Amino acid sequence: MANHDPPETAEQLPGDDGTSLTRRTALSLLGAGGVGAMMAGSAAASHDGPDTDEVRPWNQHVDAKNHDLFNLHSIDVEHVHTAARDADVVVWKDEDGVYHADSTDEHIASGEDFIGVTQAAVDSLTNDRDWKEKVAVVSPATITDDQRDGNDDLRDGPGVELPSYTILDVPASITVENEGGEPWAIPVRAQDAHHVEIPNLTVRGSPRYVVMMNTVSNVYLGNIDIELDDTGIGIRIDAGGDADEPENRSSDIQVDRIYAEGVDYHAFETRGVDRLQVNQVLGKNINGCVVLLNESSDATINSIIEYSPDIPAHNRYATFRSTYQQGRVAISDIVSHSAGRGLHIHSGSGEITISNVYIDGARNRGAVLSGPPNTVLNGGVIKNCTGKAIDLYNTNSPVAVPERRADGVTIANMRIYDDRPEEEREQTAAINEGGTAQNNRFVNNDVRDGGTEALIDTASPTTVVQGNVGDGVASGTVTLESGSDPAARVEDVSSHSGVTLELRSKTFDAPSSAFGYDHHFEWTGSQWDLVFEWRTDPGENLTVDYIVDRPQANIGRFPLEEDRDYDDTIDTPDVPDTDAPVTDGMVMHLDANVLSHLDDGSGIEAWPDRSDVGNYGYQGTEESRPGYSTDAMGGSPAVQFSRADETYMILNEKMVTVGDLTLFIVGQWTGSMDKETYLIGAAQPNRLRIANYGNWDGQNVLAWRVGDGNVAFADPDTEPHVFAQDSSMNVYHDGQKAPEVEDENTITDAHPNELTLGARRRGTDFIDANVAEVLLFERELSEDEVEQVNQYLADKHDAVTLG
């Protein structure tokens, strides 16, 4: 074996390209001090140590006044710049390919296993230190990834483990050679460590991860180069367990620069990290995200840049993605070219501010904002996407709660367009708002040529739309006819009564004679019309381009919308206490038999509650009230809902908060069996519904929905039935339980808000149906209890037969 002494000449350190890495070059990689003290002169070239007392260990200095030795490492490391300190141990490779680890005064290890030698160098640092010590790798190295042997423990793969107060500086490069099969090497790892630095690191080839850290703090990553063979993951820093447990989370992470190329998954990913500062991440041909933040908070990122024209066409990941974010994230710039998506704020992640974006050629929408409360996208360009340029909607996740809504989102100062030849344009909309998004702002954007199907679409009357070039809540061209009064009417510019509207208009071809016109908005009882009137009639028709804005959207207050108007102060008539066989946890019992004080056909304002809680059904708007029938349910009383009259009832959303529940309904469809007609519904995202899902999954079936999941059971018909379901997706039809589903989908950690009888959601998608009884429990009943309640309901209603 070759002599393991450090090189005495400039020719003994091989470089990255196979040529010699000169001693002078090695010193420059390590800084001014470098390993010079170790290598200076022939005395330092030997492992035997200095020949005279005049040569001291490099890290010991003499106090000029007191002539005492002191250890530089004892200085407060928080106030010493890392680059100014020398390496404690150097790992280098001789011309025979043997790795050596040497400190200033001893030889530590030699061998052909780079990981083993480097780990020995790390392990040789001072035990139980509370200052940082450094290992420098100054020669290129190779890791052979052949050690998995069926073991699924990532920590058993090839890699260097860094303890607390350790600096690993790798100005050379590490190449991971995979001999087939799943990559398993992780060149650098840290777990349950703090005050760790990697000033320089270059990794090539096929690792599983380049760097993986769990439950770490006070970490600094400097200049990281990642060039992989279309495999592996870049850097992951996470909580080493449940991210909800504070002791597992990582914190105080600083990243200077990451360049990642050919990564099969994410370039830089966090999960369960608090206080993160990133300067720049560049990605090329990344098959996942360039930056992905999971369950992390208090982060600033300067710039994220991606160019990925050669990723698979099915890629849907975004250049920047945030998932289940805890918020407080600010990003200065995102540049995304030919990525799956430009950015994706996902699953209720919110409180994110992005100052500027450039997104070009996204393959699956440009910016996807799924339930991101209080998020700001302020400035930049989005163009030439496939699908919607900006898609904002409320998440349908079963874990979503009110603070995880598409609420309070601002999209401003954007230029959104598609300038490809007309036949090649696939960008369908500039800004699309959907679901139950609310209280958002779309202001001062230029959306001309922004979509083939729409420019700006809104779903909520609470969203401000103002100052956008190209579109508003309504836009178009209208002809003002000379001699007409009014000059023109544009019908249905808005169907929401409680909004503010404002007009921007411009004449298309102005006549030579004097003219003047005015306008006002007129509520017709069901919609706002835009009405033009002549002030000065020019004697000829006039064509006007117009845009209608919604500049204030409820004037700064959150309105009590009609479909939220539950009055819990109504005095309902005294009714008999419930006689159901199970009452523990009951929060509502509506029974049509107690409505005998009403005349047949009367509208029902309040349906009294037989439980001792008092959660009656309610409808304050007279024309939306369902009717009472003395014999609608096979000769028994029922409450009748009419699709044509748009009748429905609101149930008190406060009676069921986060937790378990069980619901029973005795009801029947009486008219249309159209697709998605709901006997009971709840607003997204916490869906709790019993519905006819026509053509759902290719069939016409009754279905129960809890959260995001469906359970299909039975054929739809117009006969009375007892329907039951709980928050764990157990569903029953006339007492018969549906088969268990493979993936349980619950709403036990969500709030099933806006429960509505006779509609999909309050005020939408109405149904022809009779409902005779409703029971709701704030817990999951046992199967025996469910059987008791089912039998009670079947015995009570002759028209129902249990299966």
Side-chain angles (χ1 to χ4, degrees):
M1 186 175 73
N3 183 3
H4 58 244
D5 287 345
E8 296 182 3
T9 67
E11 284 72 32
Q12 287 184 331
L13 286 174
D16 252 4
D17 57 358
T19 61
S20 296
L21 177 66
T22 67
R23 180 168 132 202
R24 186 173 296 106
T25 302
L27 296 180
S28 68
L29 287 170
L30 293 171
V35 290
M38 183 184 76
M39 294 184 174
S42 59
S46 169
H47 289 300
D48 295 333
D51 293 332
T52 69
D53 292 339
E54 298 302 315
V55 181
R56 298 184 177 87
W58 71 271
N59 61 343
Q60 294 184 352
H61 286 230
V62 176
D63 183 316
K65 181 177 180 179
N66 299 317
H67 304 286
D68 292 329
L69 291 175
F70 64 89
N71 191 337
L72 288 181
H73 289 320
S74 65
I75 298 174
D76 182 3
V77 296
E78 298 296 330
H79 298 90
V80 177
H81 196 280
T82 302
R85 300 207 303 274
D86 303 329
D88 297 87
V89 181
V90 175
V91 177
W92 57 283
K93 182 172 66 175
D94 66 24
E95 58 190 1
D96 293 328
V98 177
Y99 300 100
H100 307 283
D102 296 283
S103 70
T104 56
D105 52 8
E106 66 175 337
H107 171 63
I108 295 168
S110 292
E112 296 182 355
D113 176 11
F114 166 73
I115 295 298
V117 172
T118 305
Q119 190 65 61
V122 171
D123 295 343
S124 73
L125 301 177
T126 305
N127 291 330
D128 300 324
R129 61 189 178 276
D130 58 4
W131 60 85
K132 293 179 184 176
E133 292 184 356
K134 179 193 290 187
V135 171
V137 177
V138 299
S139 300
T142 300
I143 299 173
T144 301
D145 185 7
D146 60 354
Q147 301 183 27
R148 183 178 182 186
D149 296 331
N151 190 341
D152 288 338
D153 189 349
L154 288 173
R155 304 190 67 78
D156 288 343
V160 178
E161 187 81 23
L162 302 183
S164 299
Y165 293 104
T166 300
I167 304 168
L168 179 65
D169 193 7
V170 189
S173 64
I174 298 173
T175 300
V176 180
E177 295 181 349
N178 183 261
E179 296 189 350
E182 183 180 0
W184 208 241
I186 304 175
V188 182
R189 297 187 296 242
Q191 181 170 355
D192 300 319
H194 52 88
H195 293 90
V196 173
E197 296 185 21
I198 306 176
N200 298 282
L201 178 66
T202 298
V203 175
R204 302 187 176 108
S206 304
R208 176 62 172 255
Y209 295 87
V210 171
V211 176
M212 186 174 186
M213 296 184 171
N214 320 108
T215 313
V216 294
S217 63
N218 297 96
V219 171
Y220 170 74
L221 304 180
N223 191 40
I224 313 295
D225 279 348
I226 300 169
E227 300 176 36
L228 306 186
D229 299 331
D230 298 321
T231 187
I233 301 170
I235 296 171
R236 179 179 170 102
I237 301 175
D238 65 22
D242 187 350
D244 291 333
E245 299 296 331
E247 64 272 15
N248 293 331
R249 296 178 68 85
S250 294
S251 62
D252 302 303
I253 312 297
Q254 298 180 64
V255 179
D256 189 6
R257 173 192 170 275
I258 298 172
Y259 173 79
E261 180 177 349
V263 176
D264 185 49
Y265 213 46
H266 308 309
F268 178 72
E269 176 184 10
T270 69
R271 174 183 164 271
V273 171
D274 300 313
R275 298 180 300 281
L276 170 69
Q277 183 182 41
V278 178
N279 180 28
Q280 184 183 73
V281 185
L282 297 91
K284 180 179 180 182
N285 289 332
I286 306 298
N287 199 33
C289 301
V290 175
V291 174
L292 169 59
L293 304 183
N294 289 304
E295 299 178 81
S296 300
S297 66
D298 297 304
T300 64
I301 302 174
N302 185 23
S303 59
I304 305 170
I305 304 169
E306 178 176 15
Y307 175 65
S308 294
D310 297 325
I311 57 176
H314 66 268
N315 179 272
R316 295 165 61 91
Y317 275 109
T319 298
F320 168 72
R321 177 181 169 107
S322 171
T323 304
Y324 299 115
Q325 200 62 20
Q326 297 195 352
R328 305 182 296 278
V329 176
I331 303 173
S332 297
D333 296 284
I334 297 175
V335 176
S336 175
H337 183 67
S338 299
R341 298 172 181 173
L343 67 95
H344 187 178
I345 302 175
H346 177 63
S347 294
S349 179
E351 297 197 5
I352 297 173
T353 298
I354 301 172
S355 299
N356 187 55
V357 301
Y358 181 88
I359 300 172
D360 180 11
R363 305 179 188 203
N364 187 298
R365 293 171 288 177
V368 179
L369 311 176
S370 174
N374 305 313
T375 288
V376 176
L377 181 56
N378 185 23
V381 171
I382 301 180
K383 70 173 193 175
N384 300 347
C385 302
T386 298
K388 301 161 186 173
I390 298 177
D391 193 9
L392 168 66
Y393 56 93
N394 209 53
T395 177
N396 294 330
S397 168
V399 300
V401 289
E403 60 266 25
R404 288 182 169 180
R405 299 176 65 94
D407 189 334
V409 177
T410 295
I411 299 172
N413 304 314
M414 301 294 304
R415 176 67 177 109
I416 305 171
Y417 66 99
D418 192 336
D419 64 355
R420 293 171 291 191
E422 188 170 351
E423 65 276 7
E424 297 177 12
R425 295 180 183 178
E426 298 180 285
Q427 186 166 293
T428 56
I431 302 173
N432 180 82
E433 179 188 61
T436 55
Q438 61 189 16
N439 300 320
N440 302 312
R441 297 174 66 245
F442 307 151
V443 297
N444 300 334
N445 302 289
D446 187 343
V447 298
R448 290 172 294 180
D449 295 320
T452 58
E453 299 175 7
L455 295 177
I456 297 176
D457 269 346
T458 61
S460 169
T462 64
T463 295
V464 172
V465 181
Q466 185 178 27
N468 301 287
V469 178
D471 202 14
V473 293
S475 61
T477 300
V478 63
T479 298
L480 279 59
E481 297 184 358
S482 175
S484 294
D485 184 19
R489 177 184 290 268
V490 181
E491 296 182 343
D492 195 18
V493 296
S494 176
S495 60
H496 305 293
S497 61
V499 298
T500 57
L501 300 173
E502 189 173 272
L503 176 70
R504 287 180 286 148
S505 65
K506 177 183 178 297
T507 56
F508 190 71
D509 285 319
S512 56
S513 56
F515 71 93
Y517 62 87
D518 207 342
H519 77 279
H520 67 275
F521 293 98
E522 181 178 297
W523 180 251
T524 67
S526 61
Q527 64 188 33
W528 286 106
D529 289 352
L530 169 60
V531 180
F532 290 90
E533 298 173 325
W534 288 117
R535 299 295 296 271
T536 302
D537 191 331
E540 57 182 287
N541 293 347
L542 182 67
T543 301
V544 172
D545 288 338
Y546 68 90
I547 293 177
V548 176
D549 286 335
R550 192 163 57 209
Q552 297 184 39
N554 305 300
I555 319 181
R557 63 184 172 87
F558 186 83
L560 283 175
E561 300 171 17
E562 184 175 314
D563 62 358
R564 292 176 177 268
D565 220 352
Y566 185 91
D567 187 344
D568 58 5
T569 65
I570 297 295
D571 290 327
T572 58
D574 293 333
V575 294
D577 292 338
T578 180
D579 57 353
V582 179
T583 58
D584 181 23
M586 179 184 287
V587 291
M588 184 179 68
H589 181 186
L590 306 183
D591 183 354
N593 286 288
V594 305
L595 297 172
S596 57
H597 62 283
L598 297 175
D599 294 330
D600 189 44
S602 297
I604 304 171
E605 178 185 19
W607 188 352
D609 183 6
R610 292 187 64 184
S611 80
D612 59 4
V613 182
N615 287 308
Y616 46 82
Y618 178 73
Q619 178 52 262
T621 304
E622 185 172 357
E623 57 268 26
S624 297
R625 292 173 184 169
Y628 168 66
S629 172
T630 58
D631 59 359
M633 185 75 75
S636 298
V639 175
Q640 294 184 300
F641 295 92
S642 167
R643 184 176 189 178
D645 296 330
E646 299 185 350
T647 58
Y648 65 100
M649 296 202 84
I650 303 167
L651 306 182
N652 188 354
E653 64 183 32
K654 295 180 181 179
M655 64 183 166
V656 180
T657 56
V658 176
D660 301 333
L661 58 85
T662 306
L663 170 72
F664 296 85
I665 293 181
V666 179
Q668 68 179 130
W669 276 260
T670 58
S672 169
M673 293 295 292
D674 290 347
K675 176 184 178 182
E676 296 193 0
T677 49
Y678 293 77
L679 196 63
I680 187 169
Q684 296 178 355
N686 313 305
R687 293 181 287 186
L688 173 69
R689 300 174 180 166
I690 297 176
N692 168 33
Y693 274 82
N695 298 319
W696 178 76
D697 219 15
Q699 301 176 10
N700 190 39
V701 295
L702 291 176
W704 290 255
R705 171 165 285 194
V706 179
D708 285 339
N710 292 307
V711 175
F713 194 69
D715 296 324
D717 57 37
T718 57
E719 298 299 318
H721 297 286
V722 178
F723 305 94
Q725 67 181 78
D726 64 27
S727 48
S728 288
M729 208 91 168
N730 297 307
V731 300
Y732 300 81
H733 180 255
D734 290 339
Q736 186 174 354
K737 186 178 180 182
E740 293 184 2
V741 291
E742 181 178 350
D743 298 321
E744 186 176 275
N745 191 326
T746 73
I747 56 169
T748 56
D749 51 2
H751 177 189
N753 54 47
E754 299 189 13
L755 283 168
T756 305
L757 289 174
R760 181 182 187 182
R761 293 196 296 270
R762 298 180 183 178
T764 63
D765 298 337
F766 307 96
I767 185 175
D768 292 315
N770 292 328
V771 176
E773 205 146 354
V774 180
L775 294 90
L776 184 60
F777 298 82
E778 60 178 354
R779 67 182 181 91
E780 288 188 7
L781 272 59
S782 68
E783 289 200 18
D784 180 64
E785 290 174 319
V786 171
E787 183 177 353
Q788 292 180 54
V789 176
N790 275 325
Q791 190 63 57
Y792 159 78
L793 295 172
D795 292 344
K796 188 172 182 178
H797 300 278
D798 293 336
V800 174
T801 302
L802 294 184

